Each structure stands twice: as structure tokens, then as C-alpha cells.
Amino acid sequence: TSLSAHLGPLTQVVRDGWIKYLPKLTFPVRSGVHSNTAFGLALSYDYATAVEDELLASAISGCATRLYGGDTGYNPSFEPSGEDFLSPSLCEIELMK
């Protein structure tokens, strides 16, 4: 059996959890590390489009618009901090493209 078949049940749990959780998410984490909300949403959106999961893609898109849709005039002088390996602003740009 394939790795995909073995991971299928776990993938479904994570997918269903995202769909339930995203409408409840009230603010994004804008750090420059793995906990960055835009980073996780962008990776999840890529997955949703790759497997043609329109419900998941729609949930992610709606959450992204709600959390980031009004952002303007970001000041990049806040980046990078001494801990960052991701750019919070570039993560957001990637998500919202």
C-alpha cells in the first residue's frame, strides 16, 4: 500500500479540523516562525488546490480574507527579528496572491 493510503485517515482528520476551526480563528499569528498563521494557511491552500478540495480551499480563502483582507501599509522595518526564518509580510503576500 502507498504512503498516501496510510496517511489518508490522518489527512481527513486534519482537513475536517481546519474546516471547523478556521471560522473561529479571531486573529493571525504574525511571527517569523512556523506558528505564522499565513504560512500554515498558504501551505494548506496549496494542498487543497492540489487535491481539488473546494470546501477546504474556500474555508482557507474566507479566513485569509477575513484576517488579512484589510491590511495595508505594512512597515517592513519590523523584519527580521533575531528569531525569524520566515518573513511575516512575505508569508501574507504568498497567501493573498
Side-chain angles (χ1 to χ4, degrees):
T1 58
S2 71
L3 180 60
S4 173
H6 287 293
L7 292 177
L10 176 60
T11 302
Q12 191 66 37
V13 168
V14 172
R15 176 231 186 241
D16 294 346
W18 254 146
I19 291 170
K20 290 177 187 173
Y21 173 71
L22 291 177
K24 300 173 186 175
L25 186 58
T26 57
F27 61 90
V29 174
R30 297 175 187 261
S31 65
V33 296
H34 286 106
S35 58
N36 180 295
T37 302
F39 178 66
L41 290 176
L43 292 174
S44 297
Y45 188 81
D46 288 348
Y47 166 80
T49 57
V51 299
E52 300 178 353
D53 187 335
E54 293 180 20
L55 183 59
L56 179 59
S58 177
I60 294 166
S61 179
C63 181
T65 299
R66 183 170 47 81
L67 296 177
Y68 300 104
D71 287 2
T72 60
Y74 181 80
N75 184 350
S77 67
F78 296 122
E79 297 182 28
S81 78
E83 300 174 359
D84 290 349
F85 63 90
L86 297 170
S87 163
S89 60
L90 291 179
C91 288
E92 184 175 339
I93 291 166
E94 173 66 18
L95 173 64
M96 299 303 287
K97 67 179 181 177

